[in-house]
Amino acid sequence: GAGVSQSPRYKVAKRGQDVALRCDPISGHVSLFWYQQALGQGPEFLTYFQNEAQLDKSGLPSDRFFAERPEGSVSTLKIQRTQQEDSAVYLCASSTRSDLRHQETQYFGPGTRLLVL
Amino acid sequence: AQSVSQHNHHVILSEAASLELGCNYSYGGTVNLFWYVQYPGQHLQLLLKYFSGDPLVKGIKGFEAEFIKSKFSFNLRKPSVQWSDTAEYFCAVNAGTGGFKTIFGAGTRLFVKA
């Protein structure tokens, strides 16, 4: 089947604008992760969902960042009042299992490249 | 807090040369360890992973990694690289006892000259 898809692939926002980034995980995948990848850096964990439950949001950098997965499939990462430091690639990943002791492979999407001017 | 350190940001090799990319992590408990690869224009994908058992792990495309617990290391190796191995390589770790958070290193860009 299809892999993880993300939209839009590129987003240019003016500072102060709100943006919404979408992730379509692989069908049936229980776990969904969001990461932020700044230029020249590795992905940094933002938040984790198990089905519709957001079990860890400790990586969200401020209260301007909000993520949801209301029906346990598609997820949206929303950034309010964007700032220049929010410019990065936002990656979504999904995996099959929710058992914490047996982390399954995370399948990554292509990312959304956000540029805040 | 967990952290991952990759020793080299850029590596340039000729085809058929041997590769070793260093990775050290800081975390005192049980860990799961990963190497991910991102080929030009493609998504991040898993190269290999270690959860338990044999510390020498074999992955796709002839790559292997060795977990040395006493050194907190998980170095990636390949005996003979090919031009098609040109990519960025990321080492990652998460807590093996229930952590959702996967911590990535900053990545190593490998360029293989034909």
Side-chain angles (χ1 to χ4, degrees):
Chain A
V4 178
S5 61
Q6 292 186 245
S7 61
R9 291 293 310 278
Y10 302 91
K11 177 70 180 177
V12 179
K14 291 183 180 179
R15 193 175 55 170
Q17 189 178 349
D18 297 350
V19 298
L21 312 180
R22 177 186 169 105
C23 172
D24 281 88
I26 294 172
S27 178
H29 276 197
V30 170
S31 299
L32 186 145
F33 304 79
W34 281 100
Y35 295 88
Q36 180 191 60
Q37 186 175 17
L39 194 62
Q41 300 296 317
E44 285 198 24
F45 172 86
L46 294 177
T47 187
Y48 165 76
F49 288 86
Q50 183 177 310
N51 296 306
E52 69 278 2
Q54 188 175 21
L55 299 187
D56 189 338
K57 55 181 181 179
S58 62
L60 296 176
S62 78
D63 59 8
R64 296 185 295 103
F65 286 71
F66 172 76
E68 60 184 5
R69 193 186 185 197
E71 296 177 0
S73 55
V74 171
S75 177
T76 304
L77 176 66
K78 297 178 180 177
I79 309 173
Q80 296 176 323
R81 305 181 302 282
T82 51
Q83 303 294 315
Q84 286 185 322
E85 61 263 28
D86 300 334
S87 295
V89 176
Y90 290 85
L91 296 169
C92 176
S94 69
S95 66
T96 54
R97 210 189 292 202
S98 62
D99 184 341
L100 302 179
R101 295 166 298 173
H102 298 93
Q103 290 277 336
E104 288 295 329
T105 299
Q106 292 183 40
Y107 294 87
F108 283 82
T112 294
R113 189 175 295 273
L114 172 66
L115 177 62
V116 182
L117 302 175
Chain B
Q2 297 174 37
S3 66
V4 177
S5 174
Q6 292 185 238
H7 310 307
N8 307 97
H9 291 293
H10 296 91
V11 173
I12 301 174
L13 294 173
S14 297
E15 274 196 314
S18 64
L19 170 72
E20 181 159 2
L21 300 183
C23 173
N24 285 88
Y25 64 93
S26 66
Y27 182 70
T30 304
V31 291
N32 300 318
L33 296 157
F34 308 83
W35 276 97
Y36 283 87
V37 61
Q38 188 166 25
Y39 297 102
Q42 296 188 25
H43 309 179
L44 264 175
Q45 59 184 281
L46 184 71
L47 200 55
L48 48 79
K49 60 187 177 185
Y50 170 81
F51 289 166
S52 63
D54 188 345
L56 185 61
V57 179
K58 295 193 183 298
I60 60 172
K61 303 188 180 185
F63 285 90
E64 65 178 30
E66 185 175 12
F67 170 49
I68 303 179
K69 189 175 181 179
S70 61
K71 294 185 178 180
F72 298 89
S73 71
F74 191 55
N75 292 354
L76 181 70
R77 300 194 294 247
K78 185 171 183 178
S80 175
V81 294
Q82 300 172 316
W83 177 80
S84 58
D85 294 323
T86 294
E88 189 159 20
Y89 294 81
F90 294 92
C91 181
V93 61
N94 68 22
T97 54
F100 300 110
K101 196 179 286 193
T102 300
I103 307 298
F104 284 78
T108 298
R109 282 187 186 273
L110 171 66
F111 180 73
V112 180
K113 297 184 290 185

